[in-house]
Amino acid sequence: MELLYLKTFCELVKWGNYTRTAQELDYAQSSVTHHIQRLEQLYGGQRLFQRKGNVVILTKVGQKLLPYARQMIELQEQAKQALSTIDLD
């Protein structure tokens, strides 16, 4: 489940807005909020974003998490591709 939260995290970084992120992911806005809250709980209760008007920006903790989140998502994609090319005969 954590990988799903990390994907939501990366999309929120990309769009900078909970509403737009929810639209892009085809989620309810409350789901995006829940994913970010769960990530914050999983990573020691640290805030990952701060609000500035209608947009959100990464905190220092969020900035530190971002490259790891992207790397984990990329590794999942690589694993999926590697397994899809295996001949099952």
Side-chain angles (χ1 to χ4, degrees), residues 14-29:
K14 178 179 177 180
W15 300 111
N17 178 285
Y18 279 83
T19 302
R20 177 72 188 269
T21 300
Q23 290 170 343
E24 294 295 328
L25 294 174
D26 199 26
Y27 293 163
Q29 185 174 340

Side-chain angles (χ1 to χ4, degrees), residues 3 5-15 36 39 43 47-49 57-74:
L3 199 55
Y5 301 156
L6 291 171
K7 287 180 181 181
T8 302
F9 169 75
C10 287
E11 286 296 307
L12 184 54
V13 170
K14 178 179 177 180
W15 300 111
I36 299 306
L39 266 183
Y43 292 111
R47 303 284 298 163
L48 299 174
F49 294 94
I57 60 170
L58 286 170
T59 62
K60 288 184 181 183
V61 173
Q63 290 171 6
K64 196 164 202 167
L65 176 61
L66 184 58
Y68 295 106
R70 288 179 172 158
Q71 186 176 15
M72 288 191 289
I73 292 166
E74 178 61 28

